[in-house]
Amino acid sequence: MSPASAPKPTLITSARKRRSLDNDERRTRYLWTMALRVVCFLSATLTPLPWNLILLVAAAVLPTIAVMLANAIDLRREPEPEVPETIERVALPSAEIVDGTVVEEPR
C-alpha cells in the first residue's frame, strides 16, 4: 500500500464529544432559558406597564427559543489532520555477524 493511498490517521482530538456530555449541555441550556422565563414572569408583576408587556412577550417567546436550543445538536467537526506527503524514516542498520565461539564458564 502506498503512503498516498493509506487511510488518514484518526486522532483522539478530532473525536466528537460523548453523547451524554452533549445531552447534559443541552439540558443545562434548556434549564437556564426556562429560569430566565420565570424571572421574566416575576419581573412583569413588579414593573410598570410598558416594561411588563415587554417582559411578558419575552416570557412567551422564551419556550420556543429554549426548545430550539435544546434540540440543537453539535454538528461541528474538527479539521482533518494534515498528513505530510512523504514521511522520512530512519533505516535500521543491518545486523552484523560477529565470528567467534561461546565459552561457558563452569558453575
Side-chain angles (χ1 to χ4, degrees):
M1 177 184 303
S2 69
S5 64
K8 292 184 177 181
T10 303
L11 301 176
I12 190 66
T13 57
S14 66
R16 287 188 182 176
K17 287 190 257 183
R18 289 189 330 249
R19 184 82 170 165
S20 61
L21 183 61
D22 187 41
N23 285 341
D24 291 342
E25 288 179 357
R26 293 188 293 144
R27 185 179 302 119
T28 303
R29 200 178 312 138
Y30 179 80
L31 290 175
W32 276 109
T33 310
M34 287 294 107
L36 181 62
R37 180 182 187 218
V38 170
V39 169
C40 286
F41 270 126
L42 294 177
S43 299
T45 61
L46 301 174
T47 57
L49 184 61
W51 296 107
N52 67 353
L53 291 179
I54 294 171
L55 290 170
L56 288 173
V57 169
V61 173
L62 277 174
T64 305
I65 294 171
V67 168
M68 287 191 318
L69 289 175
N71 288 337
I73 298 173
D74 186 13
L75 296 176
R76 293 176 292 177
R77 291 188 179 176
E78 294 291 326
E80 291 288 325
E82 293 183 19
V83 179
E85 292 291 326
T86 58
I87 300 173
E88 293 184 28
R89 295 191 174 126
V90 179
L92 295 174
S94 62
E96 295 181 22
I97 300 175
V98 178
D99 292 328
T101 58
V102 177
V103 178
E104 292 186 24
E105 296 182 12
R107 293 185 187 198

